[in-house]
């Protein structure tokens, strides 16, 4: 019903910046609450950031607050995660997540997931 397509993963040097994108399609509702999770090898999945359908409310994990910024293009149902001052510990598979109504959270992720994209930060 809803397909999430992610773009922008790759390799970046520590201290650099990278933007990942997630576009939602296949649903009549234009805007969905969306967010990002990440999972590193040997680690549990963790919440990164989320944004309301309107784009007016955002949420961040403490580990990324001040460095990462989530935003959206309201009409396109696309979210962006701008990652600045990247650290090696940010290396993980980043997965886009969306829900029909609720803003994704660590306790209650949304119903739809993207395939996940690799973000690698070199030392």
């Amino acid at each position: 019903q809803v397909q999430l397509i992610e773009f922008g993963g790759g390799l970046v040097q520590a201290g650099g910046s990278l933007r990942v994108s997630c576009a939602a399609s296949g649903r009549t509702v234009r805007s969905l609450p969306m967010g990002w999770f990440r999972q590193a090898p040997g680690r549990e999945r963790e919440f990164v950031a989320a944004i309301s359908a309107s784009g007016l409310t955002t949420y961040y994990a403490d580990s990324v607050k001040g460095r990462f910024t989530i935003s959206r293009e309201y009409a396109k149902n696309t979210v962006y995660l701008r990652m600045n001052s990247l650290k090696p510990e940010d290396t993980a598979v980043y997965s886009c997540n969306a829900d029909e109504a609720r803003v994704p959270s660590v306790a209650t992720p949304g119903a739809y997931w993207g395939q996940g994209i690799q973000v690698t930060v070199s030392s």
Side-chain angles (χ1 to χ4, degrees):
Q1 185 178 9
V2 175
Q3 183 179 13
L4 304 177
I5 303 175
E6 298 139 326
F7 304 89
L11 175 66
V12 65
Q13 295 180 356
S17 299
L18 190 68
R19 188 180 76 168
V20 292
S21 306
C22 178
S25 63
R27 195 172 186 271
T28 58
V29 177
R30 178 174 292 177
S31 298
L32 298 175
M34 301 175 71
W36 290 91
F37 292 78
R38 68 184 183 186
Q39 187 169 21
R43 302 289 184 87
E44 293 185 347
R45 182 187 66 195
E46 65 174 336
F47 170 80
V48 177
I51 189 168
S52 64
S54 68
L56 298 177
T57 306
T58 58
Y59 307 86
Y60 296 96
D62 289 341
S63 60
V64 305
K65 189 175 183 179
R67 298 189 297 119
F68 291 11
T69 302
I70 189 169
S71 61
R72 75 182 306 145
E73 294 185 35
Y74 180 81
K76 296 179 64 176
N77 211 8
T78 300
V79 296
Y80 307 95
L81 184 67
R82 171 65 69 180
M83 301 177 286
N84 295 326
S85 301
L86 283 163
K87 306 173 182 179
E89 55 259 43
D90 294 319
T91 296
V93 174
Y94 285 71
S95 298
C96 182
N97 182 239
D99 195 78
E100 294 182 14
R102 300 180 303 182
V103 178
S105 67
V106 62
T108 55
Y112 307 103
W113 290 92
Q115 292 291 326
I117 52 176
Q118 179 70 44
V119 173
T120 301
V121 184
S122 63
S123 301

